Amino acid sequence: MNKKPGDQVVNLEIMFDSIAESFIDISDEGIFSAIKEEGRDVTVASARVRDLFAKADKKFRQKSLEEARALHKQHVSSLHSRPLVIQGSAADKRKWLEFALLQKPEMGRALTLQHREFSSVTDEEVDSYLRQLIELGVINLQELKTDTDD
Amino acid sequence: MGKKIGGKVKPAPEAPATVEEIRGAYVALTPAELLKLEKYSMWKTRGLERMGGPEFSADSLFGEAMMRTLDGSKNWYKSKVSFFVFFHGAMKNIAGHWHTHLKSRNASFEAQNKRLNYRDGEPDPMDVLPAGGRSAEDVLIDAEDAAYASDFIAQIKTKFSDDQLALDVLDGWSAGMTPKEIQDILGIQRRDFETVQRRLTRAIDETRDRGGVNE
C-alpha cells in the first residue's frame, strides 16, 4: 500500500520528537561530546542556556512589578472615586473641625473670612470641610478623634 | 498537618515549589542538564518554527516554560521529580499545545481557501484572506511540506546507505521508539547508540543548514 504524502510529514515529526527525547536520556559524556563535535565550547554553551532561564526570570519580575503597580493604581483610584463617609454626630464633627482649625489657624482664618462666624457654618458644610481636609491629607481623622477625646 | 482518616494520618498535600525555590533550582542545574534541555528544545521545535514562525523557536519554548513555571500555571512538586525532569515535561507539554494549535490553524486556513476556490467568479483568495491570516501562498508552502519531508528522509537515508546501524536507529526514531527500546532491539550498548545518535543528528543538522533538499 502506498503511503499518503502527509504520512512522511508525520514520520519526520515523530523522528524529531524521538531525537529530542534521546537528548534527555543521553549520558553527560554523550552531551558534552555532541556539543564539542559541533565546535562549541561546553562552558559557553551551558552559560547561554542558563541565561535563557535568567532572561525569563527577569521578564517575570518585570511583569509582576507592572501588575503590582497597576493594582496599586487601581486601588488608589477606587479610593478617590469612593465618597468618604465620616462616622459621627454633627456635634462631634463640629468639635473635630474646630479643633483642627485651632491647630491650623491659617485655615481657620480662611473659613471665618468666608462665614464671619464659625457658628454660622451649617452641619453639611462642617462635614464637607472635614472630608476635604482629610482627602487633602491636611488632617488625620483618627488623630483628631484621639486628641479631642483627651 | 495531615488529616486523620480511619486511624491513619493522611499526609497533607505537598505545596508547589515557590518562586524562590524555582530560582534556586534553575541556578543549580548542571552544565550537562542545561545542554540536554537545550538540545531537547531545539529538536522539539524543529518543524514548529517552520509552521508558525519565530515565536515558536527553541528559545521561545524555553522562555514560555519558565514563565509558566514562575507564574504558577505549571506547578513543580519537588518531592516528586527533579527540576530537570519537571522542566523537560513542561516544555514537552507546551510544544504539544503549540503543535495542536498550529495544525488546527493551518487546517482552518486550508478549509477557508477551499471554500473560496469553490465559488466561481469569486475574487482570488490571495486578495481576500485577512491581512492577519495566512496567505494562500502559505497554504501552498504547507502542501510542499509533504514533499519536503519525503525528500528529507530519503536524503538522510542515502547519506547512511552503507551504515546499517544508523539506518536501523533512524527507523527506530521514525517509529517513535525510546533509546532503550532501540538499544534492546538492536542489541547495542548505550555508548554505541549515543555515537550513532550524534553522527545522525549532526548529518540531519547539516542537511537542514544547507537548505534541506534538492541541492
Side-chain angles (χ1 to χ4, degrees):
Chain A
M1 197 176 112
N2 286 335
K3 280 189 171 183
K4 285 187 284 181
D7 290 346
Q8 291 291 10
V9 177
V10 174
N11 276 349
L12 195 62
E13 285 171 358
I14 294 172
M15 190 176 91
F16 288 162
D17 268 2
S18 302
I19 295 174
E21 297 298 336
S22 296
F23 275 108
I24 289 296
D25 288 340
I26 199 170
S27 64
D28 289 3
E29 298 74 34
I31 191 69
F32 291 147
S33 297
I35 299 296
K36 285 175 192 163
E37 284 164 12
E38 287 170 9
R40 292 201 287 159
D41 181 277
V42 166
T43 310
V44 173
S46 58
R48 191 198 82 88
V49 186
R50 206 183 295 284
D51 194 45
L52 287 178
F53 278 109
K55 273 183 187 159
D57 191 5
K58 189 179 173 188
K59 195 175 160 191
F60 173 74
R61 282 175 205 259
Q62 282 169 341
K63 197 177 158 218
S64 305
L65 200 64
E66 279 162 22
E67 281 169 1
R69 276 191 192 129
L71 201 67
H72 176 71
K73 204 174 161 185
Q74 196 184 351
H75 180 65
V76 169
S77 113
S78 80
L79 277 179
H80 282 294
S81 61
R82 195 168 52 207
L84 176 66
V85 178
I86 303 169
Q87 302 293 336
S89 67
D92 279 343
K93 289 177 188 173
R94 192 171 286 272
K95 182 174 73 179
W96 296 333
L97 182 61
E98 200 169 3
F99 186 82
L101 296 178
L102 279 172
Q103 306 296 309
K104 314 232 181 240
E106 68 285 357
M107 281 191 301
R109 277 195 294 278
L111 194 66
T112 46
L113 269 177
Q114 203 177 343
H115 292 275
R116 286 192 303 277
E117 293 288 334
F118 185 69
S119 56
S120 68
V121 179
T122 65
D123 289 346
E124 288 74 28
E125 284 169 334
V126 166
D127 189 80
S128 167
Y129 284 129
L130 264 180
R131 271 193 286 117
Q132 284 176 47
L133 292 173
I134 291 166
E135 279 167 357
L136 287 170
V138 177
I139 59 170
N140 181 304
L141 185 63
Q142 206 51 49
E143 284 174 15
L144 265 183
K145 284 180 178 177
T146 312
D147 291 344
T148 52
D149 277 350
D150 292 341
Chain B
M1 186 73 180
K3 268 187 182 172
K4 200 171 180 182
I5 300 170
K8 286 182 183 173
V9 175
K10 193 184 170 191
E14 182 186 354
T18 63
V19 168
E20 284 315 310
E21 287 170 332
I22 293 163
R23 285 182 178 134
Y26 88 69
V27 168
L29 284 169
T30 66
E33 286 173 329
L34 289 165
L35 294 168
K36 288 175 196 181
L37 290 173
E38 181 202 43
K39 278 288 186 188
Y40 177 83
S41 68
M42 287 163 75
W43 284 97
K44 196 71 186 169
T45 51
R46 216 158 269 221
L48 288 179
E49 194 172 356
R50 185 179 153 85
M51 269 199 281
E55 67 264 40
F56 298 96
S57 68
D59 287 3
S60 302
L61 179 61
F62 238 97
E64 181 78 7
M66 189 55 183
M67 281 296 276
R68 291 207 201 172
T69 304
L70 288 167
D71 73 16
S73 42
K74 294 226 168 282
N75 289 323
W76 170 43
Y77 294 95
K78 291 178 295 166
S79 73
K80 292 197 170 76
V81 288
S82 67
F83 185 72
F84 170 75
V85 171
F86 160 79
F87 200 75
H88 158 238
M91 286 202 290
K92 185 176 188 168
N93 182 267
I94 292 166
H97 282 298
W98 282 0
H99 187 265
T100 308
H101 164 74
L102 288 171
K103 283 277 179 191
S104 69
R105 191 184 80 174
N106 290 2
S108 122
F109 281 122
E110 280 172 24
Q112 186 181 1
N113 197 27
K114 275 178 191 163
R115 279 199 303 278
L116 287 166
N117 279 327
Y118 178 73
R119 300 184 205 128
D120 286 339
E122 289 286 307
D124 188 320
M126 294 252 193
D127 301 327
V128 176
L129 284 170
R134 296 172 75 247
S135 66
E137 193 182 344
D138 286 337
V139 176
L140 283 174
I141 290 170
D142 274 354
E144 287 170 5
D145 279 351
Y148 170 87
S150 182
D151 286 354
F152 193 92
I153 292 171
Q155 196 168 337
I156 299 297
K157 285 192 170 179
T158 304
K159 202 173 225 175
F160 288 90
S161 56
D162 57 352
D163 185 342
Q164 191 53 47
L165 184 57
L167 290 176
D168 290 342
V169 169
L170 207 57
D171 282 344
W173 278 338
S174 297
M177 289 163 71
T178 65
K180 183 80 174 61
E181 286 169 339
I182 298 173
Q183 287 161 38
D184 288 348
I185 284 179
L186 298 179
I188 57 171
Q189 297 295 311
R190 184 184 188 189
R191 193 188 176 90
D192 299 326
F193 172 83
E194 289 181 359
T195 304
V196 176
Q197 173 181 353
R198 294 200 303 275
R199 217 163 53 229
L200 274 170
T201 51
R202 214 166 47 244
I204 294 171
D205 265 338
E206 284 166 8
T207 306
R208 208 174 84 109
D209 290 345
R210 288 204 320 268
V213 290
N214 300 333
E215 288 180 335

